[in-house]
Amino acid sequence: MRTRHADRSARRAREFEAFVAGAGGRLLHAATLLTAEAPDDNPRARRLLTLALAHTYACWDRLRGEDPYDRTRRYLATRFAHGLWHHGALGRIRPRAIGPLAGLTPQERLILVLRLYEGVAEEQVAALLGLPTERVHTVCDRATSTLLHPPRKRTAAAMGAKAAAS
């Protein structure tokens, strides 16, 4: 009996390790995009991913044909959203965002990452976040537009010239 349990535990650990080896990098990149941290300095993204992977590991035996990547991504997204909406940036004061999506709001980053980086359908994103599909579409369009056409930053010289002209 103990041998069978030990064999099952070892097989479970090997399967999970293989999953993490294959999907961990992509999931970490998604988490880093969500948190708008630098890829080489992303402690919040790593914590978010660790929590998502721990949840997946705890549910591993109950997946029964469910895609573990999808399960982990859903948990990662909902944990990020929950942390933002209830605790403000995962319960901590957020350092200045510096990643490629830093100019977006957290909700815009979440929707954009799920839609464009992860390829999740609008309807699925809407269901996951509890938003109307039209809202997901609008937020994704606005975020894409902001990325493609970032607002100009006003320089001190330009602001001084404008004040002098008045």
Side-chain angles (χ1 to χ4, degrees):
M1 178 90 169
R2 281 186 187 225
T3 306
R4 187 171 29 150
H5 182 68
D7 289 344
R8 190 175 6 176
S9 293
R11 186 184 79 243
R12 176 183 190 216
R14 282 191 309 273
E15 289 173 352
F16 185 74
E17 286 173 13
F19 163 68
V20 173
R26 182 174 175 93
L27 287 165
L28 178 59
H29 187 68
T32 302
L33 289 172
L34 289 174
T35 59
E37 295 173 301
D40 57 345
D41 185 24
N42 55 2
R44 290 182 328 111
R46 289 179 184 279
R47 176 168 164 65
L48 189 61
L49 177 59
T50 300
L51 293 169
L53 289 172
H55 176 76
T56 301
Y57 185 72
C59 301
W60 193 259
D61 290 335
R62 295 186 306 267
L63 289 177
R64 294 195 172 81
E66 186 180 348
D67 180 12
Y69 185 88
D70 182 56
R71 177 76 166 253
T72 307
R73 179 182 57 215
R74 279 194 328 250
Y75 188 83
L76 185 89
T78 55
R79 181 74 187 213
F80 177 76
H82 178 76
L84 290 172
W85 293 330
H86 294 287
H87 304 294
L90 299 177
R92 295 177 182 82
I93 303 279
R94 190 168 70 109
R96 187 167 113 20
I98 56 174
L101 305 182
L104 302 178
T105 68
Q107 184 183 50
E108 288 172 335
R109 284 196 310 266
L110 178 57
I111 291 172
L112 193 76
V113 167
L114 289 173
R115 289 283 297 124
L116 300 182
Y117 181 72
E118 289 293 324
V120 179
E122 272 182 4
E123 295 80 14
Q124 290 175 310
V125 173
L128 179 67
L129 301 178
L131 297 171
T133 305
E134 297 78 24
R135 175 77 177 141
V136 169
H137 180 81
T138 301
V139 171
C140 189
D141 282 353
R142 184 179 58 227
T144 304
S145 177
T146 300
L147 283 179
L148 294 175
H149 309 287
R152 292 185 191 180
K153 292 186 179 179
R154 298 176 71 179
T155 64
M159 289 172 60
K162 185 175 181 181
S166 313

